[in-house]
Amino acid sequence: MSHNSNGTIVKRAREDRYQHHDYYNLDELLSEDHLLARDAVRTWVKQEVSPIIEEYADRAECPTHLFKGLAEIGAFGPSLPEEYGGGGMDEIAYGVIMQELERGDSGIRSMASVQGSLVMYPIYKFGSEEQRKKYLPKLGSGEFIGCFGLTEPDFGSNPSDMITNIRDDGDAYILNGAKMWITNSPVADLAVVWAKDEQGIIRGMIVERGMKGFTTPTIHGKWSLRASITGELVFEDVRVPKANLLPNVQGLKGPLACLSKARYGIAWGAIGAALDCYDAALRYSKERIQFGKPIGQFQLTQKKLAEMITEITKAQLLTWRLGTLANEGRATPAQISMAKRNNVNMALEIAREARQIHGGMGITNEYPIMRHMMNLETVLTYEGTHDIHLLITGMDVTGLNAFK
Ligand code: TGC
Ligand code: FAD
């Protein structure tokens, strides 16, 4: 912020002074391809996201023009095969891309997570060859925008109780119900929707904008993820052609497999948000003088910064190992839950500490801290809440199920 001659506050684009932090030389564990992908996305974020993000978040508006750019930098399905619109890279490349996007803003990472892991992935994994050919190249290039409908107004953490349903009607299914809190729904061309059939089995299907009875109202009033657009999906006797049913999966494991893919990306993404807060706080601690010294010279500030980089480094190691396991096809859903839970909570705590280091300035959009902090409140909740992931770990280590 600055003031004009009338004393009015004038907003200006925040300068992105982010510098790389790699305390344990973890870059040495990355391949040339990983580093190239990461640096390309970092440059894109500095050029395209940082100059506009505060203003879009302030207006609670999604920078939808960035969908095309996200496609161009390969952010949609980085680890899906190239012939199906993906990037043909490995899981660590996918991770570092998500990290850089979320360093810019969790909402921008969300745009990519949903498109790649929650829309392209289920069509690739569970769709017919016709569905793959029809939708994936257009999703990969950003020509189509997709969304993922699992959560309902009355069923969030327990999607298995969903009431959205389909009924057989000759060459189509009749879809009824509603989905809530759906990222990108108001701007989506298509939705991957999970609904129960007449036998009560969860099935996935592709619902296209324009189908009669299908609407996507916007949810307003969010104080978090303000640069991401969120809405509902409402189905009133929507005729969905049988050709749109995903043929190759039945049951909750379908959507949960997509969530595993997206939660993995979030585990990496959260490190990006944490790094951005740490970077800003470290710089501020050297520039801000109180009691005649930089505040970074006070032991209490050093404790905050030392703990931040320690937690970031632990999260980086956890995630790198998870990525290695994922590349070998050995990352379990419970391991992914542990990383998502740990890293998002770590990032939120770092955002809070970084805000303190910035004093009053920390609450302004002169710095990215408060925006990251507010975003991370959503990230802590979506894709499985902090406590749900704890219970997944608890179930894994005890063999006892706290949900049932
Ligand atoms: P449960 O009986 O445990 O499991 C049902 C079947 O699914 C299998 N499974 C998984 N498969 C793949 N990946 C996973 N992560 C899996 N977790 C479980 C499981 O083996 C079983 O298979 P089978 O063959 O026996 O049928 O199911 P449950 O009903 O007891 O639920 C367990 C629970 C609570 C962990 C699950 O419902 C859950 O994860 N709840 C949280 C819901 C959630 O995460 N919602 C996210 C909505 S999407 C979203 O937030 C997008 S935000 C996007 C953005 O903007 O970035
Ligand atoms: P609830 O399930 O009602 O939980 C409320 C509280 O109860 C939480 O603290 C939870 O941990 C706790 N709780 C619940 N069950 C238990 C238990 N067994 N033991 C202990 N505690 C428990 N969903 C989609 O399908 N697609 C999307 O694209 C999508 N995008 C989203 C975007 C945003 C901005 C937000 C906020 C959410 C989005 N979601 C999306 C929904 C998200 O996944 C849910 O909000 C989340 O799964 C939690 O569900 P809920 O909000 O209904 O909370």
Side-chain angles (χ1 to χ4, degrees), residues 178-403:
K179 299 288 176 180
M180 178 82 176
W181 295 117
I182 307 305
T183 300
N184 293 345
S185 84
V187 297
D189 300 287
L190 58 95
V192 169
V193 176
W194 302 92
K196 280 186 179 162
D197 67 14
E198 286 158 284
Q199 287 72 48
I201 298 169
I202 294 173
R203 302 301 308 261
M205 67 212 66
I206 302 160
V207 181
E208 295 177 28
R209 184 171 296 283
M211 287 181 174
K212 197 161 167 276
F214 173 40
T215 51
T216 59
T218 303
I219 295 173
H220 295 285
K222 291 182 297 157
W223 285 113
S224 173
L225 229 60
R226 286 169 65 81
S228 167
I229 187 160
T230 317
E232 299 171 51
L233 301 172
V234 181
F235 313 108
E236 290 173 315
D237 288 329
V238 182
R239 266 185 85 78
V240 181
K242 281 191 172 164
N244 284 30
L245 190 81
L246 298 177
N248 298 325
V249 75
Q250 298 193 4
L252 193 62
K253 63 176 175 289
L256 288 179
C258 308
L259 292 180
S260 279
K261 191 92 179 153
R263 290 166 177 173
Y264 168 84
I266 290 175
W268 283 88
I271 296 173
L275 279 167
D276 205 38
C277 293
Y278 168 74
D279 176 73
L282 181 63
R283 191 174 311 108
Y284 193 81
S285 77
K286 295 181 199 167
E287 291 172 357
R288 176 70 175 166
I289 310 291
Q290 291 292 287
F291 298 95
K293 310 182 201 179
I295 57 169
Q297 206 171 329
F298 298 120
Q299 289 179 2
L300 288 176
T301 310
Q302 290 188 5
K303 177 174 188 289
K304 287 183 173 64
L305 291 165
E307 286 179 351
M308 282 184 200
I309 194 63
T310 305
E311 290 307 314
I312 287 170
T313 303
K314 282 153 70 179
Q316 285 172 324
L317 281 162
L318 185 70
T319 318
W320 178 82
R321 175 63 185 153
L322 186 68
T324 308
L325 291 172
N327 277 343
E328 295 166 2
R330 293 198 290 141
T332 67
Q335 287 170 335
I336 293 169
S337 282
M338 180 185 280
K340 190 268 184 186
R341 179 176 183 275
N342 180 78
N343 292 9
V344 177
N345 194 54
M346 172 280 296
L348 189 51
E349 284 181 3
I350 284 179
R352 288 174 180 150
E353 293 287 84
R355 211 289 304 151
Q356 286 206 62
I357 289 178
H358 282 79
M361 286 310 291
I363 71 158
T364 70
N365 63 5
E366 189 93 350
Y367 296 92
I369 316 291
M370 198 76 185
R371 179 171 47 78
H372 280 308
M373 192 197 301
M374 294 194 300
N375 284 343
L376 288 162
E377 289 291 344
T378 287
V379 184
L380 196 76
T381 288
Y382 70 19
E383 301 267 9
T385 70
H386 187 65
D387 286 344
I388 291 297
H389 288 298
L390 174 103
L391 294 175
I392 291 172
T393 306
M395 178 160 63
D396 199 44
V397 297
T398 64
L400 303 170
N401 188 336
F403 299 111

